[in-house]
Amino acid sequence: DLKTGKKLTLAANSLTADSGYSFELQAECGKNATLSVTLNDGTHSGTLNISRERLCWGDTPLYCTTELQGRIRIVRHMGNRQQNVLPGYYVWLDDMLVGQGLNSTSVEADNGITLSVKGGSAELNSARWTKKACAPATPLKTSPQHAYTTQ
């Protein structure tokens, strides 16, 4: 359980820009609470803000609903011109891409993944990360045509 004013750091000093990385989580935010997930590899950084009703990249809404549920994946991809993949951050809600090629945001943070909460509490049900840029695996993707590594 994360509460306002508390921080949780994962993958400290482990993220690098050259290979990309992925972070997947499931969380439930309390009423009026916002869970901020900040990723920083020393070169690029960005923050996904999660509340009961929306996902925002910094202050920019990516997805809005009445009750946010599902697995969230944030990926930093270095880009691939041949496959028309923009460099930047990608965000999925389950297997739905809701943010693509998102720019870094100016965030002061240590290398790694930092979770913090404002306005209440949030429950982190699961979290995992890898040193690869991986899209969620779905039955609709076929390896040769898909621009991302799947896991």
Side-chain angles (χ1 to χ4, degrees):
D1 209 26
L2 294 166
K3 298 189 185 316
T4 296
K6 300 286 184 186
K7 286 185 179 181
L8 173 64
T9 301
L10 306 169
N13 299 312
S14 297
L15 303 181
T16 60
D18 57 339
S19 62
Y21 44 89
S22 305
F23 178 62
E24 186 174 279
L25 74 151
Q26 271 192 292
E28 293 178 41
C29 292
K31 187 177 179 183
N32 301 321
T34 299
L35 172 63
S36 295
V37 180
T38 300
L39 298 97
N40 185 345
D41 60 31
T43 304
H44 309 96
S45 64
T47 300
L48 183 69
N49 292 307
I50 305 163
S51 70
R52 284 180 127 171
E53 300 87 22
R54 65 180 52 200
L55 293 175
C56 295
W57 187 250
D59 293 330
T60 304
L62 300 177
Y63 185 80
C64 300
T65 184
T66 55
E67 188 73 30
L68 186 65
Q69 295 179 350
R71 195 177 66 252
I72 298 167
R73 184 176 291 219
I74 310 164
V75 173
R76 171 68 196 170
H77 197 288
M78 294 309 298
N80 184 326
R81 286 180 191 227
Q82 292 175 334
Q83 295 181 335
N84 201 27
V85 178
L86 299 170
Y89 287 95
Y90 289 72
V91 178
W92 283 266
L93 177 59
D94 289 323
D95 63 355
M96 180 175 48
L97 182 64
V98 295
Q100 134 180 348
L102 301 168
N103 292 325
S104 294
T105 55
S106 55
V107 176
E108 294 278 331
D110 294 329
N111 181 297
I113 303 163
T114 305
L115 290 88
S116 60
V117 177
K118 293 178 193 162
S121 64
E123 185 175 326
L124 186 61
N125 298 324
S126 67
R128 66 183 182 148
W129 65 277
T130 183
K131 293 183 185 184
K132 259 196 218 176
C134 302
T138 69
L140 300 176
K141 293 180 184 165
T142 55
S143 300
Q145 291 100 3
H146 192 59
Y148 313 100
T149 304
T150 57
Q151 174 179 321

